[in-house]
Amino acid sequence: MDFCQVLIEKSDAIVDRWVEAVYQDQQIEATKELTFNAVKDSLPRVLEALATVLSESVSSDLQTVVDASLEHGRIRAEQEFEPAEIAREYRLLRLVIFSLLEEDLLKATPAEMLRAVRLIDAVIDEAIACCFNSYTQGRLQELKKLQSQLQLTNQELTRLVQASQDSISHLAHELKTPLTSIIGYTELFLRQHRQKQPEIKDSYTNLESIERVLKSGRLLLRLINDTLEISRYDAGKMKLQPTQIDVGGLINSVLEMIEPLARAKELSLVVNCDRAPEKAIVDPLRLQQILTNLLSNAIRYTESGSIELECWVADEKQWAISVTDSGIGISPDAQAKIFDPYFRAVKGLKLQNSDGTGLGLAIVSRLVELMGGEIKVLSELGKGSTFTVILPLEAIAW
């Protein structure tokens, strides 16, 4: 009896019946979403190699069994089979092979039948061992990748939590000073009124205290509003409302608001907008925020000299506006961080006397990005700074 030829003739039937049995087995759930070819996988190659093992004239091709079984294990790992499901696959394979060969086995001599049964069992056992070996290796590789991804995710989460904690710490620190001032001067007013000292009520010191409370309250309100503005942008909730504007008119309206600040510090305000575009499609509110923040920032850190505002058409699709001051300048190290929330390049007494929130440039950079533009800074310590904003002539609503 040539069981090699018998197996070759019945290979297609074995494959079909085995795939059907695997589909019908309720304990092999992984096959529910797989196609016929995905379930069949490398079984034909295993059967072909098994036929050579059963042949007494052809040299055994055990290497194909090994290779095909290793490949089968890798694929089953990718298909997320459970080990018990793979074991049932091979149990069904053994049952299907012997059920289809049973008639031929009974026709053979006892010696031929024993030889065939032992060889088939040995090959299937070897296939199971190879399959589980590669399946285990595949699962281990998957676990290593998952572990690496989890480590990276954990590092990113740690960084985000730390950044959030730093932001909250900065915000709490910034809120503390104006709140302390408001509480302190409010308590002073209450004590004075309780003591019924009318001669103090309208004194210069009392009026000055009221101004300090108002200034601290306004600073606190600005800080909260700026923080909310940053949060809205980071959450993707800030939307543009582009419309065609008169560039010169908008710049003049901003200068009218800023000019008293410059005059109070005896700074000259120079405007050069001869080359400005007559019309542009932008969000006027956001553009006004950008200009106001840049100009007020320049005035805040300039003790003498001038503030220059320049505007020009850069090319057919872009226009630019720059703010140059003769102030204290920014160090190279600080220039990389000035657009971060709550970062300030100035420390010490000058910072304490400043009414800035540390969020102005962070808001500017986000607004510029939202409008599809870019912002650049050139600065040198002791010689001033230049902030240049490049915007599209036609902004797109996001």
Side-chain angles (χ1 to χ4, degrees):
M1 178 69 66
D2 187 357
F3 284 105
C4 171
Q5 186 62 34
V6 171
L7 187 62
I8 292 174
E9 292 174 354
K10 296 187 176 183
S11 289
D12 291 340
I14 291 173
V15 171
D16 292 341
R17 187 174 295 184
W18 177 73
V19 172
E20 182 181 357
V22 170
Y23 272 129
Q24 292 178 353
D25 194 313
Q26 298 298 318
Q27 297 184 42
I28 307 179
E29 297 183 355
T31 57
K32 292 179 179 178
E33 304 298 328
L34 298 180
T35 64
F36 178 89
N37 288 333
V39 175
K40 179 181 69 174
D41 188 28
S42 53
L43 179 59
R45 292 175 58 201
V46 173
L47 294 176
E48 185 179 345
L50 175 59
T52 66
V53 175
L54 293 174
S55 174
E56 294 184 358
S57 58
V58 179
S59 58
S60 298
D61 187 12
L62 279 175
Q63 188 59 46
T64 298
V65 175
V66 172
D67 294 341
S69 301
L70 289 172
E71 180 184 357
H72 184 73
R74 285 192 294 269
I75 292 175
R76 289 301 188 245
E78 293 173 0
Q79 294 170 338
E80 298 185 352
F81 271 63
E82 296 295 332
E85 293 176 319
I86 297 176
R88 292 192 66 82
E89 274 193 317
Y90 279 100
R91 179 172 176 271
L92 290 172
L93 176 62
R94 198 188 305 265
L95 290 174
V96 168
I97 290 176
F98 282 125
S99 65
L100 287 176
L101 294 184
E102 181 178 0
E103 183 180 350
D104 299 285
L105 287 170
L106 292 175
K107 293 178 181 178
T109 65
E112 291 174 332
M113 182 177 66
L114 285 174
R115 176 180 177 275
V117 170
R118 287 172 179 170
L119 287 174
I120 292 171
D121 276 338
V123 170
I124 293 177
D125 288 342
E126 180 66 20
I128 293 173
C130 293
C131 178
F132 271 111
N133 181 45
S134 61
Y135 172 85
T136 303
Q137 293 298 322
R139 283 301 200 186
L140 287 175
Q141 290 296 325
E142 185 179 348
L143 286 174
K144 288 179 181 179
K145 290 180 180 178
L146 182 60
Q147 183 182 21
S148 299
Q149 292 174 353
L150 288 174
Q151 288 176 342
L152 292 174
T153 302
N154 183 56
Q155 291 173 1
E156 181 64 14
L157 287 174
T158 302
R159 186 190 68 79
L160 291 174
V161 169
Q162 184 63 46
S164 177
Q165 290 174 343
D166 291 343
S167 295
I168 293 173
S169 176
H170 281 300
L171 179 58
H173 177 74
E174 295 292 341
L175 289 173
K176 182 178 179 181
T177 301
L179 280 174
T180 302
S181 176
I182 291 171
I183 293 170
Y185 284 110
T186 303
E187 289 177 347
L188 176 61
F189 297 152
L190 291 175
R191 284 200 304 270
Q192 290 175 347
H193 281 280
R194 285 169 184 168
Q195 293 171 2
K196 296 181 179 180
Q197 298 178 7
E199 69 279 3
I200 299 179
K201 185 191 293 186
D202 297 326
S203 67
Y204 174 78
T205 304
N206 202 26
L207 293 174
E208 189 180 49
S209 297
I210 294 174
E211 288 294 330
R212 289 175 180 170
V213 172
L214 289 174
K215 183 178 180 181
S216 296
R218 292 189 186 106
L219 176 59
L220 180 58
L221 181 60
R222 253 182 58 214
L223 181 59
I224 293 172
N225 288 335
D226 287 350
T227 302
L228 291 175
E229 194 85 343
I230 292 284
S231 299
R232 279 195 294 269
Y233 177 86
D234 291 343
K237 295 181 179 180
M238 185 182 290
K239 304 297 181 183
L240 286 181
Q241 295 182 352
T243 184
Q244 183 170 292
I245 64 163
D246 175 5
V247 175
L250 186 141
I251 291 175
N252 287 332
S253 65
V254 172
L255 291 175
E256 288 176 1
M257 293 186 292
I258 293 296
E259 195 273 335
L261 298 177
R263 187 171 61 248
K265 296 186 71 171
E266 298 181 350
L267 300 173
S268 61
L269 199 54
V270 181
V271 180
N272 181 9
C273 293
D274 295 339
R275 296 181 295 148
E278 294 182 2
K279 303 291 182 181
I281 298 178
V282 296
D283 187 322
L285 176 61
R286 301 308 180 189
L287 179 58
Q288 184 174 324
Q289 282 182 275
I290 292 172
L291 295 178
T292 302
N293 274 305
L294 290 179
L295 288 168
S296 60
N297 218 49
I299 293 171
R300 184 177 298 118
Y301 296 112
T302 302
E303 297 302 322
S304 63
S306 63
I307 308 296
E308 182 179 354
L309 175 66
E310 187 176 1
C311 183
W312 68 96
V313 176
D315 54 43
E316 294 180 354
K317 296 183 179 181
Q318 294 179 315
W319 65 294
I321 191 164
S322 67
V323 175
T324 302
D325 63 63
S326 57
I328 59 177
I330 307 169
S331 68
D333 293 338
Q335 289 180 34
K337 303 177 183 178
I338 56 175
F339 298 113
D340 295 341
Y342 307 108
F343 177 79
R344 290 184 180 180
V346 182
K347 306 296 182 182
L349 183 61
K350 289 183 179 180
L351 177 58
Q352 294 174 8
N353 293 334
S354 168
D355 61 349
T357 63
L359 291 170
L361 290 178
I363 292 175
V364 167
S365 67
R366 283 160 172 76
L367 290 177
V368 170
E369 183 178 357
L370 185 67
M371 296 173 74
E374 61 176 322
I375 184 169
K376 302 176 181 179
V377 58
L378 290 174
S379 185
E380 187 176 347
L381 283 175
K383 294 185 178 180
S385 306
T386 297
F387 287 86
T388 302
V389 174
I390 302 173
L391 297 172
L393 285 168
E394 295 186 8
I396 301 174
W398 292 95

